[in-house]
């Protein structure tokens, strides 16, 4: 069977470090499945995100061994265009994800890079804004929004790319209750649409929407049994 | 009178809309006050007004009985410690130990005394093993403990913390909670701004809810 | 002749800015420069910007101009205007050079305000439609976007230093410089870190995967734009002819 994401014996070591940050990771995610990975900081959660989303493919930060397959094809054989069309990643720090002068431009950024038609882009902006409930901020400067609102816009700017795979790297850390509910509902909807989703979390109250939970501890992945350490 | 008093305080940036609308509050040292509320509700702005970093557009803020309009930040720092949401903004020196002590050195405090203070702080905040490290490569939790230690080395009797749990995992949150409880025992009053319900419920004796720049609830446990 | 600012294409404004600042650099004649100065002033006013508000800020520059005049004087041998003892403080030559420089800077600063009436996004779009590579256009836009954040960061850091109980105004100037050097550390470190994260975020959304990118907004030059641009060009050409002739 072909999995949407399949990671086999993945090891990763930063050039600046003496030890492998990831030590033999194996995981599989199917269409319409939400896998949550929990763990304490410094255990390699973000590194794993960066590996799967192909960011380390062309950023020469360290040595990567093992294999990452997207729909059965190795990440190494995929072009950047292919990877970007398939994977969308929402990062933790909202300030460094938003760089456009208005919210609208921010959400249009990805689709514009993909050279989509004007009316498609406009439709996607409308849709993404509606989903995160930020329509009234369409023409606002992202600088003037609060941390949580920025995270909602960061999510919207990835939704507009309409990828098959979503990676959320602690993407709700500054979002308030109402915002969390919005995001969780959206994740459920994405799941129904058959998207594969990996969530990285340290907030255990966000686990209710996941199908499976695993814990990353000292670079290794285990089934989660309620304890992080 | 509270340690920090806000009397009919409103705030806006230049010609924009009011972010804080006619807020009156008395903050007591004996309390552990949590400020909660949705994103964009004015929590950070309120915190900066309490610390005198921002000055009220209307109304008055009194810190330790003095009007914040007349207080220089340097004078406030001796009374109130403020922890920025982003700890990187309050780390200044090339090593952890130097960062902790530079303000004391500038003030011309005796070397021996500085050393004792630094040791004490590093002990309390579990930074001893990092004394000679470059602060910007520390983990988020370590940076935050350093920023807190740097703030507390001036012995302020009141602390304002803006989203102190951001970027901290459960273990580090527990560590932070323990440290704050220790400070509470020492008699340091506190305000934390946070959307982390567990953290607030665990620590606060008083919870203020801020929506749209207005206080909609103010309860004591 | 107030024209609704949002109707004017940013490219028209850019044309004006480029022409005016080139003239300001090229021309060394005080009378002509004063003429350009007043024209620039009127153009800025016409685009809906009030340069008078700027003059309050420029006041602070007056000291700098004075310093420049004095420095120019001490390096130029000319007829002395003012001397103290055997030291020449002002010469006619230095004085004119200093004044020239001051007018020039004022012209350039005011002309720059013309473009500020467009949103950064429009300016970038204008540059892209001028066939400037979009990577470069974006660098400009991100620079504009992050400048206020950068300023905030410096403010926060200076605040944070003072909140450590350091009363800046009670500290002697030498020591104060040392304190300001502490501001640099967090600012540089966070800027480096942020730019790294920023480029990762941009690339993860496909920045630069194709040699061109589409845009959901397109600018169109109107008749007024063409007319204005033609007027600017003719004006600039006339001034240059007068100057050279």
């Amino acid at each position: 069977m072909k999995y949407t994401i399949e990671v086999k014996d993945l090891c990763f070591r930063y050039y600046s470090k003496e030890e492998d940050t990831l030590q033999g990771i194996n995981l599989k995610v199917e269409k319409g499945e939400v896998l949550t990975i929990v763990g304490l900081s410094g255990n390699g959660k973000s590194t794993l995100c960066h590996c799967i989303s192909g960011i380390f493919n062309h950023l020469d930060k360290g040595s990567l061994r093992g294999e990452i397959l997207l729909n059965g094809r190795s990440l190494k054989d995929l072009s950047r265009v292919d990877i970007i069309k398939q994977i969308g990643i929402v990062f933790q720090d909202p300030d460094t994800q938003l760089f456009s002068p208005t919210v609208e431009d921010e959400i249009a950024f990805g689709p514009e890079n993909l050279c989509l038609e004007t009316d498609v882009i406009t439709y996607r902006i409308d849709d993404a804004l509606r989903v995160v409930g930020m329509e009234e901020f369409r023409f606002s400067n992202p600088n003037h929004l609060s941390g949580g609102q920025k995270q909602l816009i960061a999510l919207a700017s990835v939704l507009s790319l309409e990828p098959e795979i979503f990676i959320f790297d602690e993407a709700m850390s500054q979002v308030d209750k109402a915002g969390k509910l919005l995001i969780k509902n959206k994740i459920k909807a994405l799941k129904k649409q058959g998207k594969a989703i990996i969530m990285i979390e340290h907030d255990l109250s966000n686990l209710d929407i996941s199908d499976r939970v695993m814990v990353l501890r000292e670079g290794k992945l285990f089934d989660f049994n309620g304890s992080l350490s | 009178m509270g340690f920090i008093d806000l009397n009919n305080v409103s705030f806006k940036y230049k010609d924009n809309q009011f972010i804080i609308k006619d807020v009156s509050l008395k903050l007591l040292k004996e309390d552990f006050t949590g400020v909660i509320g949705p994103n964009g509700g004015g929590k950070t702005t309120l915190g900066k007004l309490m610390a005198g970093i921002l000055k009220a557009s209307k109304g008055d803020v009194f810190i330790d009985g003095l009007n914040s309009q007349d207080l220089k930040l340097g004078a406030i720092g001796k009374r109130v410690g403020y922890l920025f949401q982003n700890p990187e903004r309050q780390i200044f020196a090339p090593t952890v130990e130097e960062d902790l002590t530079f303000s004391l050195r500038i003030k011309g405090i005796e070397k021996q005394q500085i050393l004792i203070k630094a040791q004490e702080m590093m002990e309390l905040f579990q930074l001893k093993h990092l004394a000679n490290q470059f602060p910007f490569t520390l983990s988020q939790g370590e940076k935050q403990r350093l920023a807190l230690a740097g703030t507390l080395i001036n012995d302020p009797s009141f602390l304002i913390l803006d989203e102190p749990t951001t970027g901290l995992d459960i273990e580090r949150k527990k560590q932070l909670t323990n440290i704050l409880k220790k400070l509470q025992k020492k008699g340091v009053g506190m305000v934390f701004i946070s959307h982390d319900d567990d953290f607030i419920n665990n620590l606060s004796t008083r919870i203020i809810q801020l929506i749209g720049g207005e206080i909609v609830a103010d309860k004591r446990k | 002749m107030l024209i609704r600012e949002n109707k004017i294409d940013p490219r028209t404004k850019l044309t004006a800015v480029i022409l005016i600042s080139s003239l300001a650099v090229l021309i060394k004649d005080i009378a002509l420069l004063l003429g350009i100065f007043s024209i620039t002033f009127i153009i800025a006013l016409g685009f809906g910007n009030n340069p008078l508000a700027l003059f309050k800020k420029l006041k602070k520059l007056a000291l700098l101009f004075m310093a420049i005049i004095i420095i120019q004087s001490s390096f130029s041998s000319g007829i002395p205007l003012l001397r103290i003892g055997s030291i020449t403080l002002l010469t006619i030559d230095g004085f004119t050079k200093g004044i020239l420089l001051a007018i020039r800077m004022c012209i350039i600063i005011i002309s720059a305000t013309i473009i500020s009436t467009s949103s950064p996004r429009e300016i970038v779009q204008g540059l892209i439609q001028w066939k400037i590579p979009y990577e470069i256009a974006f660098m400009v836009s991100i620079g504009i976007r992050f400048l206020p954040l950068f300023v905030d960061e410096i403010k926060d850091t200076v605040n944070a230093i003072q909140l450590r109980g350091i009363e800046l105004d009670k500290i002697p100037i030498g020591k104060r410089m040392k304190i300001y050097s502490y501001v640099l550390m967090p600012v540089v470190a966070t800027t480096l870190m942020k730019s790294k994260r920023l480029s990762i975020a941009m690339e993860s959304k496909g920045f630069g995967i194709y040699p061109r990118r589409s845009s959901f907004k397109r600018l169109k030059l109107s008749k007024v734009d063409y007319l204005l641009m033609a007027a600017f060009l003719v004006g600039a050409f006339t001034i240059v002819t007068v100057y050279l002739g």
Side-chain angles (χ1 to χ4, degrees):
Chain A
M1 170 172 176
K2 253 195 235 165
Y3 288 91
T4 311
I5 308 167
E6 187 170 3
V7 176
K8 290 181 186 167
D9 297 318
L10 174 69
C11 295
F12 186 85
R13 185 166 57 100
Y14 287 98
Y15 291 135
S16 54
K17 294 209 172 130
E18 279 166 21
E19 238 175 82
D20 282 357
T21 300
L22 299 177
Q23 305 172 2
I25 302 286
N26 286 291
L27 65 87
K28 290 169 184 163
V29 187
E30 294 173 28
K31 277 181 87 161
E33 190 184 23
V34 181
L35 168 67
T36 304
I37 297 171
V38 294
L40 299 176
S41 349
N43 276 295
K45 290 188 308 232
S46 290
T47 308
L48 180 59
C49 280
H50 284 45
C51 284
I52 297 177
S53 60
I55 289 167
F56 286 147
N57 243 17
H58 63 286
L59 266 185
D60 195 25
K61 277 292 187 65
S63 67
L64 188 153
R65 282 159 289 132
E67 211 163 13
I68 299 163
L69 303 170
L70 302 184
N71 292 312
R73 289 176 64 196
S74 169
L75 200 65
K76 285 175 205 145
D77 304 331
L78 292 171
S79 68
R80 263 192 76 205
V81 177
D82 287 330
I83 296 173
I84 282 153
K85 282 184 179 163
Q86 285 190 58
I87 295 194
I89 173 164
V90 187
F91 299 92
Q92 194 176 354
D93 176 15
D95 277 321
T96 48
Q97 279 178 85
L98 308 179
F99 36 79
S100 304
T102 68
V103 163
E104 174 186 63
D105 292 318
E106 197 66 66
I107 301 171
F109 179 79
E112 284 181 337
N113 288 329
L114 295 178
C115 289
L116 299 181
E117 299 286 337
T118 310
D119 41 337
V120 179
I121 299 177
T122 313
Y123 173 76
R124 288 194 182 181
I125 297 172
D126 295 341
D127 190 49
L129 278 174
R130 193 172 37 76
V131 166
V132 297
M134 293 284 286
E135 292 107 318
E136 55 174 314
F137 295 96
R138 184 173 187 135
F139 302 108
S140 304
N141 181 337
N143 271 355
H144 300 155
L145 302 178
S146 75
Q149 290 173 324
K150 283 180 192 166
Q151 281 190 321
L152 292 173
I153 298 304
L155 169 63
S157 73
V158 172
L159 285 175
S160 66
L161 282 159
E162 299 192 350
E164 275 174 62
I165 300 165
F166 282 87
I167 298 178
F168 296 101
D169 186 359
E170 294 184 14
M172 293 189 261
S173 60
Q174 297 177 31
V175 178
D176 58 26
K177 260 191 226 150
K180 270 185 192 154
L181 199 67
L182 266 171
I183 295 184
K184 282 184 186 177
N185 282 334
K186 180 60 189 178
I187 292 176
K188 281 184 206 158
L190 290 171
K191 180 179 141 77
K192 261 191 200 143
Q193 287 168 30
K195 312 275 185 189
I197 296 156
I198 295 181
M199 289 197 347
I200 304 284
E201 271 301 329
H202 65 229
D203 187 348
L204 300 184
S205 66
N206 291 334
L207 301 185
D208 49 342
I209 45 168
S210 44
D211 298 299
R212 272 190 302 140
V213 183
M214 296 182 95
V215 57
L216 191 61
R217 202 181 301 141
E218 285 162 9
K220 294 189 186 94
L221 211 49
F222 304 92
D223 285 328
F224 181 62
N225 55 12
S227 143
L228 292 180
S229 46
Chain B
M1 202 166 78
F3 186 77
I4 298 179
D5 285 342
L6 279 73
N7 298 340
N8 304 97
V9 169
S10 297
F11 180 83
K12 62 173 180 177
Y13 286 102
K14 280 184 192 149
D15 302 329
N16 295 318
Q17 290 179 328
F18 279 101
I19 307 172
I20 297 294
K21 296 164 192 158
D22 198 24
V23 166
S24 294
L25 266 180
K26 285 195 190 316
L27 297 165
L28 306 179
K29 256 194 196 169
E30 296 70 38
D31 269 324
F32 251 37
T33 309
V35 179
I36 57 170
N39 296 135
K43 299 193 296 284
T44 296
T45 309
L46 186 66
K48 286 191 172 174
L49 283 164
M50 289 174 184
I53 298 172
L54 294 173
K55 311 286 179 196
S57 312
K58 280 187 208 161
D60 291 301
V61 177
F62 291 94
I63 297 170
D64 202 6
L66 301 166
N67 194 325
S68 84
Q69 299 282 6
D70 313 324
L71 278 173
K72 291 267 162 56
L73 281 176
I76 292 172
K78 290 172 185 163
R79 298 170 169 89
V80 179
Y82 182 90
L83 189 75
F84 283 82
Q85 187 167 2
N86 185 350
E88 276 131 19
R89 291 192 183 176
Q90 52 200 113
I91 295 175
F92 311 101
T95 72
V96 167
E97 187 166 5
E98 196 185 334
D99 187 78
L100 271 178
T101 55
F102 91 89
S103 65
L104 301 180
R105 272 182 282 126
I106 283 171
K107 284 185 228 158
I109 290 170
E110 220 182 309
K111 257 194 183 152
Q112 195 57 32
Q113 218 177 334
I114 293 178
L115 213 71
I116 294 170
K117 266 234 138 133
Q119 291 300 323
E120 190 189 314
M121 281 294 155
M122 285 195 285
E123 189 82 46
L124 179 63
F125 290 93
Q126 299 154 22
L127 294 165
K128 243 185 172 161
H129 59 295
L130 302 167
N132 297 314
Q133 287 249 16
F134 182 61
F136 290 92
T137 54
L138 301 179
S139 75
Q140 185 75 7
E142 288 161 350
K143 277 180 194 164
Q144 195 175 38
R145 296 207 299 275
L146 174 59
L148 250 181
T151 306
L152 286 166
I153 209 160
N154 299 305
D155 297 319
S157 53
F158 203 88
L159 251 184
I160 297 167
L161 306 109
D162 188 5
E163 298 283 2
T165 60
T166 300
L168 298 189
D169 60 39
I170 300 166
E171 285 299 317
R172 271 119 191 141
K173 247 184 244 177
K174 267 187 214 155
Q175 280 178 359
L176 179 69
T177 308
N178 288 337
I179 287 172
L180 294 179
K181 281 186 174 161
K182 268 189 216 167
L183 294 174
Q184 188 178 29
K185 275 189 196 139
K186 286 188 171 182
V188 179
M190 273 182 225
V191 170
F192 3 76
I193 294 156
S194 178
H195 62 265
D196 189 329
D197 293 346
D198 292 342
F199 181 78
I200 291 264
N201 287 329
N202 188 355
L203 278 171
S204 315
T205 58
R206 177 187 183 187
I207 297 178
I208 293 169
Q209 196 180 8
L210 195 70
I211 296 179
E214 290 171 274
I215 294 178
V216 295
D218 185 350
K219 284 180 204 137
R220 276 220 167 70
K221 274 198 210 162
Chain C
M1 61 162 261
L2 191 82
I3 308 159
R4 282 282 306 278
E5 34 122 348
N6 51 359
K7 278 190 182 164
I8 301 296
D9 193 284
R11 284 169 290 178
T12 310
K13 297 177 192 172
L14 277 170
T15 312
V17 174
I18 292 168
L19 286 174
I20 291 169
S21 37
S22 327
L23 283 177
V25 173
L26 188 77
I27 287 172
K28 296 189 177 67
D29 181 276
I30 282 202
L32 269 179
L33 274 178
L34 279 174
I36 296 170
F37 177 81
S38 23
I39 294 170
T40 312
F41 194 92
I42 293 166
I43 294 175
L45 218 54
F47 278 125
N49 214 338
N50 186 6
L52 281 175
L54 200 74
F55 273 118
K56 280 184 190 155
K57 286 183 186 167
L58 285 181
K59 257 193 214 158
K60 288 179 191 160
L61 282 177
L63 264 179
L64 180 73
F65 291 148
M66 296 283 280
I68 289 169
I69 292 173
I70 291 175
I71 291 166
Q72 289 275 14
S73 295
S74 56
F75 284 108
S76 62
S77 52
I79 304 151
L81 266 180
L82 183 74
R83 38 163 89 219
I84 296 171
S86 61
I87 304 159
T88 311
L89 263 187
L90 279 183
T91 62
I92 289 188
D93 204 27
F95 190 71
T96 30
K97 272 189 186 161
I99 292 282
L100 274 179
L101 201 73
I103 301 175
R104 252 184 217 151
M105 281 175 71
C106 287
I107 294 176
I108 292 173
I109 292 169
I110 293 175
S111 80
T113 67
I114 295 175
I115 192 68
S116 72
T117 53
S118 287
S119 80
R121 163 72 211 203
E122 283 176 324
I123 299 168
V124 170
Q125 190 56 32
L127 292 174
I128 290 172
Q129 285 178 241
W130 256 353
K131 302 273 182 276
I132 286 170
Y134 70 83
E135 286 94 342
I136 294 175
F138 259 88
M139 262 162 52
V140 175
S141 141
I142 286 171
I144 298 171
R145 160 82 168 71
F146 278 86
L147 196 68
L149 282 189
F150 192 68
V151 173
D152 278 354
E153 203 144 291
I154 293 177
K155 268 190 204 155
D156 271 358
T157 306
V158 174
N159 284 344
I161 282 197
Q162 295 181 72
L163 280 173
R164 287 213 182 170
I166 295 172
E167 294 182 64
L168 279 181
D169 44 351
K170 287 188 188 163
I171 284 169
I173 187 87
K175 250 187 180 175
R176 219 188 296 173
M177 294 315 284
K178 170 102 177 117
I179 294 170
Y180 283 125
S181 76
Y182 278 115
V183 177
L184 225 63
M185 181 80 189
V187 170
V188 171
T190 47
T191 306
L192 284 178
M193 215 162 50
K194 274 193 179 167
S195 56
K196 214 159 68 186
R197 284 195 209 139
L198 189 70
S199 72
I200 289 181
M202 288 179 80
E203 287 190 22
S204 77
K205 286 181 200 156
F207 189 65
I209 43 171
Y210 294 122
R212 55 173 285 272
R213 64 197 291 276
S214 62
S215 172
F216 77 107
K217 274 182 205 154
R218 278 199 80 77
L219 298 168
K220 254 179 113 178
L221 289 168
S222 66
K223 263 186 204 153
V224 180
D225 285 306
Y226 283 115
L227 274 172
L228 280 174
M229 273 202 235
F232 293 149
L233 278 167
V234 171
F237 184 75
T238 319
I239 293 175
V240 172
T241 329
V242 171
Y243 177 64
L244 295 176

